Amino acid sequence: PTFTIWHKKCFHVLTLPRLAALNLQSSRATQKSTRAALRSFVEPRWLRCYPRDAPRQESVKKRSFQMRACARWSVLLLPLIMMISPLVFADDDDDDDGGNSYRSKGVCDKACILRSLPPLTEGLYTTELPSPPKWEDVCATTVSVSCQPQDGFGGEVLARMSAEAGALEHGYTYVYTPFTVLDHVAGHEGDMESFVNLGADIIDIRQIQSNFVVQGKKDLDWGNPGAPGCSNIYAGVSTGPCRDGATPSNLMAYAPKVRRRYRLSP
């Protein structure tokens, strides 16, 4: 057993053998003489004097030691964590760049595209705008491009506007692909489609009668996206290559078309 006796600015921890060495008794009658006896010892060999705040100091020292040990281990393990984290948390190649995940990357034929898209319903676009030409009438002499990212509403709208502006500037045929899966507002793609009315007076990919293959590209070269012809449509499958089609000048030239469509939206 250990007895703690407080005295002035410190406390003494005494074990039974040390009490016996002091020849002290523990009865209440002798407590006063016990205290007097302790006062007579300044720092005897068998007593160890602790400051009154020793428990708090010991706790602080313990916490400081634990923090230093944690910091040392963190420094030692940091290189290992950095090597392992790309393997554990590896994502797909899109890296959250609005990449298309609702269909397979790369080549996708007409059946593949139509399976991914909602059906073309009557009244989706307004009828006040001029009807677009048939794709079969223009595809033989021009390059056909489209934009098929998967992102939030704002990201997809800007990507499609940029892609169409780039197509107009370069003389390509722009084929509109509607919203399929909008991040953050899933389930309201049709409402958002009617709201912006972007596909009102251009060729909708769902209206094409002949067979075609969509060449999905993550690095669409707007100077030379592909060869002209009715067999291929070259599509940016993430927001990056679609946005690359825009320049300040072609966006200003394209703005009246967007304004007219939006004003006539339901």
Side-chain angles (χ1 to χ4, degrees), residues 55-102:
R56 183 180 65 83
Q57 290 180 355
E58 290 296 324
S59 177
V60 171
K61 290 180 180 178
K62 184 177 180 180
R63 287 198 299 270
S64 299
F65 173 78
Q66 292 172 343
M67 291 176 66
R68 289 195 300 271
C70 181
R72 284 195 292 267
W73 277 106
S74 299
V75 172
L76 291 174
L77 293 176
L78 184 59
L80 180 61
I81 294 172
M82 293 179 67
M83 288 188 295
I84 294 176
S85 58
L87 302 176
V88 176
F89 302 103
D91 201 351
D92 58 13
D93 295 333
D94 292 327
D95 294 328
D96 198 24
D97 61 352
N100 181 324
S101 62
Y102 60 80

Side-chain angles (χ1 to χ4, degrees), residues 8-82:
K8 291 186 179 180
K9 294 184 179 181
C10 64
F11 64 89
H12 304 273
V13 179
L14 303 176
T15 59
L16 281 177
R18 291 174 179 173
L19 280 173
L22 285 173
N23 195 22
L24 300 176
Q25 299 179 8
S26 60
S27 63
R28 291 194 175 188
T30 59
Q31 284 183 359
K32 191 172 183 180
S33 61
T34 300
R35 288 194 294 270
L38 286 173
R39 291 191 193 100
S40 64
F41 293 93
V42 178
E43 188 67 30
R45 288 176 316 190
W46 51 84
L47 291 178
R48 185 177 177 186
C49 187
Y50 299 89
R52 281 184 176 268
D53 60 348
R56 183 180 65 83
Q57 290 180 355
E58 290 296 324
S59 177
V60 171
K61 290 180 180 178
K62 184 177 180 180
R63 287 198 299 270
S64 299
F65 173 78
Q66 292 172 343
M67 291 176 66
R68 289 195 300 271
C70 181
R72 284 195 292 267
W73 277 106
S74 299
V75 172
L76 291 174
L77 293 176
L78 184 59
L80 180 61
I81 294 172
M82 293 179 67

Side-chain angles (χ1 to χ4, degrees), residues 244-265:
D244 291 343
T247 63
S249 59
N250 66 29
L251 282 175
M252 292 303 297
Y254 168 69
K257 295 175 68 72
V258 180
R259 189 178 297 113
R260 184 170 63 252
R261 292 170 186 167
Y262 178 71
R263 285 175 176 171
L264 295 174
S265 63

Side-chain angles (χ1 to χ4, degrees), residues 178-195:
F179 301 141
T180 302
V181 180
L182 285 177
D183 295 344
H184 317 302
V185 289
H188 298 278
E189 287 80 7
D191 296 334
M192 297 294 99
E193 198 76 65
S194 299
F195 174 65

Side-chain angles (χ1 to χ4, degrees), residues 24-256:
L24 300 176
Q25 299 179 8
S26 60
S27 63
R28 291 194 175 188
T30 59
Q31 284 183 359
K32 191 172 183 180
S33 61
T34 300
R35 288 194 294 270
L38 286 173
R39 291 191 193 100
S40 64
F41 293 93
V42 178
E43 188 67 30
R45 288 176 316 190
W46 51 84
L47 291 178
R48 185 177 177 186
C49 187
Y50 299 89
R52 281 184 176 268
D53 60 348
R56 183 180 65 83
Q57 290 180 355
E58 290 296 324
S59 177
V60 171
K61 290 180 180 178
K62 184 177 180 180
R63 287 198 299 270
S64 299
F65 173 78
Q66 292 172 343
M67 291 176 66
R68 289 195 300 271
C70 181
R72 284 195 292 267
W73 277 106
S74 299
V75 172
L76 291 174
L77 293 176
L78 184 59
L80 180 61
I81 294 172
M82 293 179 67
M83 288 188 295
I84 294 176
S85 58
L87 302 176
V88 176
F89 302 103
D91 201 351
D92 58 13
D93 295 333
D94 292 327
D95 294 328
D96 198 24
D97 61 352
N100 181 324
S101 62
Y102 60 80
R103 69 169 177 83
S104 59
K105 308 281 190 306
V107 176
C108 193
D109 61 13
K110 181 180 179 180
C112 167
I113 289 290
L114 294 182
R115 280 198 304 268
S116 304
L117 300 178
L120 183 62
T121 58
E122 294 293 333
L124 177 62
Y125 304 121
T126 58
T127 57
E128 291 88 344
L129 297 174
S131 299
K134 286 187 63 177
W135 183 67
E136 288 82 358
D137 295 338
V138 296
C139 62
T141 57
T142 62
V143 177
S144 298
V145 296
S146 187
C147 181
Q148 300 176 353
Q150 182 182 343
D151 207 340
F153 174 65
E156 291 215 23
V157 168
L158 292 175
R160 283 168 170 78
M161 290 172 60
S162 301
E164 187 178 359
L168 289 172
E169 181 183 25
H170 291 89
Y172 305 147
T173 298
Y174 181 71
V175 179
Y176 183 72
T177 301
F179 301 141
T180 302
V181 180
L182 285 177
D183 295 344
H184 317 302
V185 289
H188 298 278
E189 287 80 7
D191 296 334
M192 297 294 99
E193 198 76 65
S194 299
F195 174 65
V196 292
N197 211 28
L198 286 178
D201 56 350
I202 51 179
I203 299 170
D204 189 301
I205 200 168
R206 296 169 293 183
Q207 296 171 329
I208 298 176
Q209 298 297 320
S210 58
N211 292 321
F212 58 86
V213 172
V214 175
Q215 303 285 346
K217 291 183 174 291
K218 297 179 66 176
D219 52 351
L220 193 61
D221 181 3
W222 284 93
N224 183 23
C230 297
S231 58
N232 290 307
I233 299 173
Y234 302 94
V237 292
S238 57
T239 54
C242 295
R243 288 195 303 259
D244 291 343
T247 63
S249 59
N250 66 29
L251 282 175
M252 292 303 297
Y254 168 69

